[in-house]
Amino acid sequence: MTGKRSAGLLLYRRTDDGPQVLLGHMGGPFFARRDAGAWTVPKGEYEPDETAWDAARREFQEELGLPPPDGEAVPLGEVTQKNGKVVTAWAIEADLDPATVVPGTFEMEWPPKSGRRQEFPELDRVEWFGLDRAGALIVPAQAAFLERLAEHSD
């Protein structure tokens, strides 16, 4: 059996203070009070019958409620997260107003073993960060995407 695979788009923009990236804070009760390690590239899982690129664009739309931007896609490669999930990402230079995001939702039993189902946003916040701050907040394995973007931007 193969592990789960996920794909996403990392938006970046150039500012006078250097590049910034758009990250999403993972929604739901597990991450509500966490910052470090709780921010992610907007991404999602896909099945073998879908390409990573198509999944990245679809997931951007599902997670942010906005169409993925056009532009040159810079391949950032893959990383394997602590949970074994392989994440593939591309960077696209684009600007986006976080106030326009309409996040997708997911449902889960909460509190555990309560029998109650609740709906939570996939991403409860979306913000622009400089690369250093993003590196301190992003899921640790995904920090490699920031390093690869920085190499591309030099």
Side-chain angles (χ1 to χ4, degrees), residues 13-21 129-131:
R13 65 184 182 185
R14 300 171 201 269
T15 72
D16 291 341
D17 297 327
Q20 292 184 331
V21 293
F129 296 103
L131 293 179

Side-chain angles (χ1 to χ4, degrees), residues 32-128:
R33 293 185 176 86
R34 289 183 46 199
D35 248 1
W39 291 80
T40 183
V41 171
K43 62 171 182 45
E45 292 181 10
Y46 64 99
E47 299 298 323
D49 62 343
E50 184 177 25
T51 69
W53 172 247
D54 288 341
R57 293 180 57 78
R58 175 183 52 76
E59 286 292 337
F60 186 93
Q61 174 89 41
E62 288 178 12
E63 297 227 338
L64 301 181
L66 300 169
D70 294 324
E72 178 191 355
V74 177
L76 299 177
E78 295 181 343
V79 299
T80 302
Q81 296 183 160
K82 191 167 57 173
N83 62 6
K85 183 183 290 183
V86 176
V87 180
T88 305
W90 287 265
I92 296 180
E93 186 172 1
D95 205 352
L96 179 152
D97 179 354
T100 63
V101 169
V102 181
T105 59
F106 68 96
E107 192 177 275
M108 66 181 282
E109 182 180 19
W110 190 259
K113 300 180 182 165
S114 67
R116 290 181 45 216
R117 307 237 7 121
Q118 290 191 49
E119 196 171 84
F120 298 96
E122 297 259 3
L123 301 172
D124 59 19
R125 288 176 280 162
V126 176
E127 294 182 34
W128 288 99

Side-chain angles (χ1 to χ4, degrees), residues 23 35-40 127 129 132-140 146:
L23 298 180
D35 248 1
W39 291 80
T40 183
E127 294 182 34
F129 296 103
D132 287 344
R133 182 73 180 134
L137 296 173
I138 199 166
V139 172
L146 304 177

